[in-house]
Amino acid sequence: METVRVGDIDVCFEVHGSGTRVLLISGTGGDLRVDPNRSAHPLTDGYEVLMYDQRGLGRTSKPDEPYTMEQYADDAAGLMRELGWARAHVVGISFGGMVAQHLALRHPGLVDRLVLCCTSSGGAGGSSFDLLSLADRPRAERAELLLPVMDTRNDLSTDPPTLAPLFDRLAPFMAAPPLNADDPASELGARRQLEARADHDVYDRLGEITMPTLVAGGLHDGQAPPENLERLAAALPDATLRFFEGGHMFLLQDRSAWPAIVDFLAP
């Protein structure tokens, strides 16, 4: 991992692979240290992929102040410029897809093709599930409440629950203490992200995002439901909408998802 100064914060980042440049923007609570196989990400075979910890998360700075979606977009743009990246494809996942929408609006010259995964536009286009409403609950309880939202096929009232095997493996991780659990700044930064996320609304400006865009989601996603993706794609001037088998974690559940994204990004 490396760190570079971007505006008022130090941003922790990594670059993997070679080829056409791709900025990958992670979801809520994203931390590079959580994924030990990030150098083998599906995009790194044929692309140079820039990954980073967002403001308030991981090893990036965690200022004690309210965060905004505009700041998250400017952080991404500033990181690209500091590294000499004049343009790149941008792939945003969940919260990262929200950031990517703001990035495309505020810094359109930096974005070639755009991929928005399991995300929402806010406003009349619909909002993703309110994660802030669960922020004060114990982690184990939060995981139990969130899992059926992430994949609507799950029913925890049955025995055994109709939960995809993937989520059986994810449940212990979601209930475990987070990295830096003893660091008050980490807890504060994670909450600041959720607060910024709650204010996300670009629906009325989606017509300004003119680059080719792939909107991708899971058929059984309750966090960013299919109707939100349909409204998002319909409001974009040049969008392709694709649904895959799975829920909010469809990128891990459906093996055809990443290849479809790679095909969309191919020159």
Side-chain angles (χ1 to χ4, degrees), residues 49-103:
V49 184
L50 171 57
M51 314 171 183
Y52 69 105
D53 288 337
Q54 299 191 69
R55 173 181 296 261
L57 302 173
R59 295 187 178 180
T60 289
S61 300
K62 305 167 182 66
D64 184 7
E65 62 186 22
Y67 305 161
T68 67
M69 296 303 299
E70 290 78 11
Q71 279 181 310
Y72 282 107
D74 292 348
D75 291 343
L79 176 61
M80 289 179 62
R81 290 180 173 128
E82 286 295 327
L83 299 182
W85 284 35
R87 296 181 67 86
H89 299 319
V90 175
V91 178
I93 301 171
S94 193
F95 174 80
M98 301 177 194
V99 175
Q101 292 168 62
H102 287 269
L103 176 63

Side-chain angles (χ1 to χ4, degrees), residues 156-172:
L156 293 175
S157 66
T158 62
D159 186 18
T162 56
L163 188 64
L166 171 67
F167 288 94
D168 286 329
R169 296 196 300 270
L170 282 177

Side-chain angles (χ1 to χ4, degrees), residues 26-30 54-55 57 66-72 93-99 101-102 117-123 126-135 146 149-150 189-202 221-225 228 248:
S26 60
T28 300
Q54 299 191 69
R55 173 181 296 261
L57 302 173
Y67 305 161
T68 67
M69 296 303 299
E70 290 78 11
Q71 279 181 310
Y72 282 107
I93 301 171
S94 193
F95 174 80
M98 301 177 194
V99 175
Q101 292 168 62
H102 287 269
C117 297
C118 51
T119 193
S120 303
S121 68
S127 297
S128 293
F129 181 80
D130 180 14
L131 295 177
L132 188 59
S133 67
L134 302 180
L146 189 55
V149 174
M150 296 178 73
R191 188 178 189 92
R192 295 293 197 197
Q193 185 191 43
L194 294 179
E195 291 170 349
R197 179 184 180 278
D199 291 332
H200 168 66
D201 178 3
V202 296
D221 189 351
Q223 186 164 326
N228 286 17
H248 199 64

